Amino acid sequence: MGPVTLAIIGGVLWLLGIVALLTGALPTDDALAVAERVWPILLFVVAVTVVAELASKAGLFDVVAARLARVARGRTALLWMLVVVLAVVATAFLSLDTTAVLLTPVVVAMAVARKMDPLPFAFVTVVLANTASLVLPVSNLTNLLASDALGGGHDPIAFLALLGPSALIAILVSVAVLTAVFLRRLPRTYPDAPAPAVADPLLLRVSGVVTVALLPLLVIGLEPWMPAVGAAIVLVAVFAWRAPRALGIRLVPWSLLVFAGGLFLAVGALEALGIGRVTSVLAGTGDDLVSLWQLAGAGALAANGINNLPAYLALESAAGSPARLAALLIGVNAGPIVTPWASLATLLWHDRLVAAGVEVRWSRFVVLGAVIAPLILLLGVLPLALV
């Protein structure tokens, strides 16, 4: 599912939503409520995408990866763990799409330059892009929706208190399985490689400062779009001065905006028509362990069947408590690593691998996800029930 296909699907969803609005199936007040809820989230997505794309154009991710390889001093096991940390941090603060789209080609190039198979490192980025997206509200679009549903704003401390243990379990399970499967296939040591070329050192330094400054601002309780928009404005201004050709309309993820906007409108119409009665049967009720497993499982199955964003929106109304919302997030964030279309980040990851000339079989992805996802669902829900 490329950007064009995504935009076409989004356009169809917009038409269905507009028809529902014109026919009265979706009341105007409900549509306005959807718009009021969604615009800050989509604005954040646009702003953080612009920041990540411009930082990438400045060479920030390439330089960071090269520094990690130098810190590891030829020891593959240490480099492996440093790449894991980089993937977790990138996902937690800059969202799963940033890790899948921008970090994947960087770690692939880093591995190739050091005479190593790039595929194990590529699997680190795609798996952790999904499973580590439970850490903060800004890590995933579904998290922003859930923290909004919980009320009290996008409070990262409250979110961590609720989902922190589950997020840690998801990360540890992912890393354990990935390490067991892939690390032994890599050489124990690797040769050094030249440092990546930097076209404009000033752009690199400014991008680094802006990105580092943005990370804590995303977790101090501000609305996420505020610091993200500020960082995007700074970088756009600096690039307009130093490298105006790097700016363009392609920096904005238009296809994702069209798809997400149409999806929100269409699901709003379905909710007005009573889809909640259907999803409540699938998701069950209650905050006991079995009920939470049922909800997380329903979320994972729906995400792997269609996609994690519509899966979350369809099941949100059936998650009426903080623990149930957290269980749903475990299902739709960490669960969609079995089918290729379950997460947009996975499809974008595959596109970047193809562009880099790296061949990956979907069967390998499916088998790996079929091991990791159930383990995370079983273990990650446990802290919610214990609390």
Side-chain angles (χ1 to χ4, degrees), residues 27-357:
T28 303
D29 289 344
D30 289 359
L32 292 174
V34 169
E36 184 177 0
R37 181 187 184 192
V38 165
W39 76 260
I41 295 174
L42 295 184
L43 182 57
F44 166 77
V45 170
V46 171
V48 80
T49 300
V50 170
V51 170
E53 288 281 0
L54 291 179
S56 178
K57 288 178 182 292
L60 179 62
F61 296 118
D62 295 287
V63 169
V64 170
R67 292 282 176 86
L68 294 182
R70 186 174 302 175
V71 168
R73 296 183 178 181
R75 292 166 291 183
T76 303
L78 180 54
L79 178 60
W80 177 263
M81 295 312 301
L82 291 174
V83 170
V84 165
V85 172
L86 179 60
V88 170
V89 172
T91 301
F93 289 94
L94 299 176
S95 86
L96 74 167
D97 292 335
T98 295
T99 300
V101 174
L102 300 178
L103 196 59
T104 295
V106 168
V107 299
V108 164
M110 178 199 69
V112 170
R114 288 157 182 83
K115 314 300 183 192
M116 290 189 289
D117 181 4
L119 206 55
F121 294 96
F123 269 100
V124 167
T125 60
V126 71
V127 172
L128 287 175
N130 287 284
T131 60
S133 69
L134 288 166
V135 176
L136 293 170
V138 296
S139 307
N140 199 322
L141 184 57
T142 53
N143 296 356
L144 290 170
L145 291 167
S147 59
D148 181 61
L150 288 168
H154 305 293
D155 183 356
I157 303 302
F159 192 88
L160 267 176
L162 177 63
L163 266 161
S166 299
L168 180 60
I169 289 171
I171 292 169
L172 292 177
V173 168
S174 301
V175 173
V177 175
L178 290 168
T179 301
V181 172
F182 289 115
L183 186 57
R184 58 188 174 84
R185 303 181 184 181
L186 294 170
R188 292 187 177 182
T189 60
Y190 57 86
D192 198 7
V198 177
D200 190 327
L202 178 61
L203 275 181
L204 175 64
R205 287 194 292 271
V206 173
S207 298
V209 169
V210 169
T211 303
V212 170
L214 175 62
L215 302 189
L217 293 177
L218 291 173
V219 295
I220 62 174
L222 293 172
E223 287 289 323
W225 66 267
M226 295 178 180
V229 167
I233 290 172
V234 171
L235 284 185
V236 167
V238 176
F239 269 81
W241 169 41
R242 302 285 294 188
R245 290 185 179 180
L247 302 177
I249 199 68
R250 291 186 177 181
L251 289 174
V252 178
W254 292 110
S255 58
L256 177 59
L257 290 180
V258 173
F259 173 73
L263 185 61
F264 287 130
L265 191 60
V267 172
L270 290 175
E271 287 180 344
L273 292 172
I275 191 177
R277 291 191 294 272
V278 177
T279 56
S280 63
V281 174
L282 299 174
T285 58
D287 286 1
D288 59 280
L289 179 58
V290 174
S291 297
L292 295 177
W293 271 334
Q294 180 182 352
L295 179 53
L301 287 174
N304 284 291
I306 45 176
N307 179 266
N308 66 329
L309 185 54
Y312 172 82
L313 291 171
L315 291 166
E316 185 187 59
S317 60
S321 69
R324 288 181 61 79
L325 270 172
L328 176 57
L329 286 178
I330 292 171
V332 301
N333 285 14
I337 51 173
V338 180
T339 58
W341 56 81
S343 168
L344 178 61
T346 300
L347 294 171
L348 296 173
W349 167 81
H350 187 261
D351 286 344
R352 290 304 170 106
L353 286 183
V354 171

